[in-house]
Amino acid sequence: MTDIKSMNQEELSSFLKELGQPAFRAKQVFQWLHRGVRSFDEMTNLSKALREQLAQSCLLAPPTVERKQVSALDGTIKYLWRLHDGNCIETVLMRYKHGNTVCISSQVGCRMGCAFCASTIAGKVRDLIPAEMLDQVLFTQIDSGAPISNIVLMGIGEPLDNFDTVMRFLELVNHPDGMNIGMRHISLSTCGLVDRIDELAKRQLQLTLSVSLHAPDDETRSKIMPVNKSVGVERLFASCRRYFEQTGRRISYEYAMIDGVNDTDWQADLLASHLKGTPGHVNLIPLNEVKESPLRPSRRVAAFQKRLESQGVTVTVRRKLGGDIDASCGQLRRKQMLEEQA
C-alpha cells in the first residue's frame, strides 16, 4: 500500500499521473488529506472510480483516541493515540493567550535514555512516518475544536534521530495548501545530536531550535543523559554557535531543575560562561517526577534563575500546564503499557 499522505504535491502529481489522472488532481487530493479526511470516500470532488482506485492502492490510516485527559485547571488536553499497528504515542494540546500549541511525538518510544524522562523507559520501538506526525496536529485540532497555531516537536522520541521524516513533516505542515503553519511558529527539541544540528543549520529553516541541555558539565550531563558520552558539552555548544552563525536564530536551552544534581551555583556560573558571546535563552523546567526515577524537583529554581540573570543570561521558568493530568511526556503511554502487561 502506498503512503500517500507522506507525499509532497510533486510526488503526489507523479503518482496520480501513473494512474492516468491530470496534474490538477494532486492539489485536490493534497488538500483533502490535509483537512483530516478518514477515508477516500470523503473526497467528494473526485470521481467515484478514482476514490475506489485510491482506496485499493493507498494507505490512509488515521489514529484513534485510546485515552484523552482534559485538565480542569487550564484546559490542557493529553491524547494517547493508537496507531494502525497497535502502538501508542502521545500528543498534548496547550492553550495560551497567543494561541494553541500542540506538542507532538516523532518516534514510538526513545533510545536516548535520559534519566528524567518516562518516554525512554521501554526504549525505542520505531520511527514515525511523516503522515503519523501530521495526523497528530490534524486530529488534535479536529477533536478538540481548537485551531492550532504553534507546534512543538518535544513529545515522545528524539526528532533529529528521525531526521528525514521530521524534515518532510515540516515541509508538509508548512505548505500553503495544507495547514500552512509558519516555521517561526514551530519549535524542534533535541538532546544534542551535533551532526544533525549541523545538517539542520544547512537547511536555513526559521524554526526555533531547543536544546535539551539539563547540565553544563560533562560529568553531570553524562550521568543523566547518556548521549553526552559520545558528544560532550564543549562539542555541543560549538555546534550551537555554528547553528546561530548560519541561521541567525537564537537557541533555547531547556534545563530541567533536579534537586542536588544540576542546581548548584557553580553550575549556573558554568552555564553562563558557555552562553557568553552567543545569544541564547534558558528555559528552566520544574522537574516532573517519574515513578521509576529517583530524581526529584529542585528547591533552588528561583536562586538558580537569579544567579543566571545576574550574569546577563535571559531566563524564563516554564509554567506547568495540565498539573491534574498525565501531561508530562511519556507518562500516559507508560501507564497504558503497564496496564496491558498486567
Side-chain angles (χ1 to χ4, degrees):
M1 298 288 279
T2 301
D3 175 21
I4 193 172
K5 199 166 189 175
S6 294
M7 292 181 179
N8 59 28
Q9 272 201 38
E10 291 73 25
E11 293 166 341
L12 196 51
S13 180
S14 297
F15 175 74
L16 291 170
K17 185 177 180 181
E18 292 176 3
L19 298 181
Q21 296 296 320
F24 73 87
R25 290 293 186 201
K27 182 175 181 178
Q28 290 178 321
V29 173
F30 186 89
Q31 289 177 328
W32 279 115
L33 292 171
H34 290 247
R35 291 176 192 168
V37 296
R38 289 186 169 272
S39 76
F40 293 105
D41 287 337
E42 296 177 50
M43 300 181 178
T44 52
N45 59 351
L46 306 185
S47 69
K48 185 177 180 181
L50 176 55
R51 282 181 274 165
E52 290 176 350
Q53 197 172 14
L54 292 173
Q56 291 170 4
S57 61
C58 298
L59 174 71
L60 192 59
T64 57
V65 178
E66 182 68 24
R67 294 191 181 195
K68 177 181 176 180
Q69 297 179 338
V70 182
S71 171
L73 300 175
D74 51 41
T76 297
I77 304 176
K78 179 67 168 278
Y79 289 95
L80 185 70
W81 299 106
R82 180 76 68 175
L83 304 177
H84 67 93
D85 64 354
N87 281 301
C88 289
I89 53 172
E90 296 178 356
T91 306
V92 182
L93 172 71
M94 298 165 286
R95 304 174 191 271
Y96 297 98
K97 290 180 180 179
H98 61 266
N100 300 309
T101 296
V102 63
C103 179
I104 68 171
S105 299
S106 56
Q107 297 174 314
V108 179
C110 183
R111 63 174 178 167
M112 296 300 142
C114 299
F116 46 81
C117 183
S119 299
T120 195
I121 291 172
K124 175 186 166 183
V125 178
R126 68 170 176 87
D127 290 328
L128 296 185
I129 60 174
E132 290 171 326
M133 295 187 67
L134 182 64
D135 280 346
Q136 293 175 70
V137 186
L138 280 170
F139 290 106
T140 294
Q141 179 170 270
I142 291 169
D143 183 85
S144 67
I148 303 299
S149 55
N150 300 277
I151 301 172
V152 180
L153 280 72
M154 202 180 286
I156 294 172
E158 161 57 56
L160 296 188
D161 190 39
N162 190 14
F163 190 86
D164 292 339
T165 285
V166 168
M167 293 304 106
R168 172 53 60 89
F169 161 74
L170 292 172
E171 177 187 354
L172 293 174
V173 82
N174 183 238
H175 199 285
D177 290 330
M179 296 199 76
N180 195 25
I181 296 178
M183 285 294 174
R184 288 179 180 264
H185 294 271
I186 300 174
S187 295
L188 185 154
S189 177
T190 177
C191 65
L193 304 185
V194 295
D195 292 339
R196 293 300 195 184
I197 291 174
D198 287 337
E199 193 170 343
L200 180 64
K202 295 175 185 176
R203 306 276 176 135
Q204 293 288 312
L205 302 177
Q206 291 298 293
L207 52 73
T208 297
L209 178 64
S210 296
V211 173
S212 294
L213 183 62
H214 307 304
D217 61 293
D218 280 328
E219 182 179 358
T220 305
R221 194 166 194 267
S222 294
K223 284 180 181 177
I224 60 176
M225 302 182 71
V227 67
N228 193 70
K229 296 173 184 176
S230 61
V231 175
V233 169
E234 292 294 341
R235 189 175 166 216
L236 174 57
F237 274 105
S239 72
C240 290
R241 284 189 286 272
R242 288 193 298 273
Y243 184 89
F244 173 75
E245 289 166 2
Q246 287 186 257
T247 67
R249 300 288 291 164
R250 185 183 71 164
I251 292 175
S252 177
Y253 296 91
E254 309 294 311
Y255 201 100
M257 295 294 293
I258 307 171
D259 190 49
V261 175
N262 65 351
D263 59 351
T264 63
D265 285 347
W266 71 263
Q267 286 166 319
D269 294 342
L270 182 58
L271 176 54
S273 69
H274 282 308
L275 296 176
K276 192 167 293 184
T278 304
H281 165 258
V282 176
N283 188 19
L284 300 180
I285 306 169
L287 184 72
N288 290 298
E289 293 192 48
V290 175
K291 186 177 180 181
E292 293 88 345
S293 172
L295 304 178
R296 295 294 173 259
S298 173
R299 294 162 289 183
R300 301 194 72 248
V301 176
F304 200 87
Q305 178 184 9
K306 186 176 180 180
R307 187 95 178 184
L308 287 172
E309 289 176 338
S310 70
Q311 298 176 69
V313 178
T314 302
V315 186
T316 55
V317 177
R318 180 183 293 175
R319 181 165 63 96
K320 188 171 183 178
L321 297 175
D324 56 336
I325 62 174
D326 297 307
S328 300
C329 185
Q331 289 186 343
L332 193 54
R333 175 174 174 265
R334 181 67 177 157
K335 183 182 290 186
Q336 180 73 21
M337 290 171 64
L338 291 173
E339 290 180 4
E340 291 176 353
Q341 293 167 5

